[in-house]
Amino acid sequence: MSDLADQVVARVVPMFTAEADPARAEGQRAYMRDQFPYLGLTLPQVRKMSKTLMKSVPPAGPDDLREIALRCWEMPAREYQYFACEILRADALGPSFLVTLRTLITTKSWWDTVDPLATRIVGDLVRAHRSLAATMDEWSGDDNVWLARTAVLHQLHWGVETDTRRLFSYCTAQAGHRDFFIRKAIGWALRHYARTDPSAVRAYVDAHRDALSPLSVREATKHL
């Protein structure tokens, strides 16, 4: 057990509970299709309190962050999972942390935690440790929708560093997927990369229009 993790968990619970808004919590729970209970905190509130809390304790290492995140994932209120997503920083992690991220992605899974983990934490970790791209290759074909979505989205903020071969191959491999979250991820990833290379995205969509879902095509070409 980490002393720092104990400190953080002991502080975050009363901090978040003090700002709880039961009326807002009901609306949040309904919006998220009754997937999770809520305290009624807004995301800006979570972000502000997360920064305040983490500045008040010693710097957290990978082992501390792992324990904090896993303990937050065990808590019922969704805001604690948001807190974990906020405090994970790829520059404080190592390649082995991807195992923990897989656990977080495949546990209490929904887009609200998977997307920040995919686009920021996993994405930054793979960019810093390129050997992890082989794991993204595995995830891109995984039966777990959230792992596949993470693989498609992990390069979202890479810009000119994007490995287009991987991006396009992941999209092609999942083009016929029936799940909304995969179809949406394909469109989102392509649309975002179109900011960097619109001609490449246009050419890809034109070549694969028959295989891609209408949702993926619509999202990918929204700003072309």
Side-chain angles (χ1 to χ4, degrees), residues 1-6 63-64 67 71:
M1 299 291 285
S2 162
D3 290 341
L4 181 57
D6 288 340
D63 291 340
D64 300 312
E67 184 169 345
R71 288 171 67 174

Side-chain angles (χ1 to χ4, degrees), residues 61-216:
D63 291 340
D64 300 312
L65 292 170
R66 179 180 295 106
E67 184 169 345
I68 293 167
L70 292 174
R71 288 171 67 174
C72 285
W73 239 254
E74 293 174 354
M75 298 181 190
R78 192 58 163 169
E79 287 89 345
Y80 295 116
Q81 284 100 65
Y82 295 165
F83 169 73
C85 292
E86 287 296 317
I87 68 169
L88 292 176
R89 310 179 318 280
D91 62 345
L93 312 177
S96 64
F97 205 89
L98 196 59
V99 176
T100 300
L101 291 171
R102 179 189 175 103
T103 298
L104 303 182
I105 290 165
T106 56
T107 308
K108 295 189 176 180
S109 308
W110 203 241
W111 63 266
D112 56 333
T113 54
V114 170
D115 289 358
L117 290 172
T119 63
R120 292 300 183 184
I121 312 306
V122 173
D124 288 352
L125 196 61
V126 176
R127 181 156 50 177
H129 304 279
R130 295 303 177 98
S131 62
L132 296 178
T135 303
M136 295 299 100
D137 293 343
E138 296 173 6
W139 288 11
S140 69
D142 201 281
D143 290 338
N144 184 286
V145 166
W146 304 107
L147 289 177
R149 182 175 170 95
T150 295
V152 171
L153 293 176
H154 83 278
Q155 298 187 84
L156 196 74
H157 300 298
W158 287 26
V160 296
E161 294 183 59
T162 299
D163 182 336
T164 53
R165 182 192 66 78
R166 277 195 162 90
L167 171 62
F168 293 154
S169 68
Y170 292 176
C171 293
T172 301
Q174 295 289 2
H177 205 292
R178 298 180 64 181
D179 189 272
F180 167 85
F181 288 106
I182 295 296
R183 299 197 303 266
K184 185 81 170 181
I186 290 171
W188 184 18
L190 293 173
R191 183 178 78 243
H192 217 79
Y193 184 60
R195 299 177 181 179
T196 299
D197 193 342
S199 61
V201 173
R202 185 179 293 109
Y204 174 80
V205 171
D206 288 344
H208 297 83
R209 191 176 295 270
D210 291 342
L212 293 166
S213 71
L215 172 61
S216 296

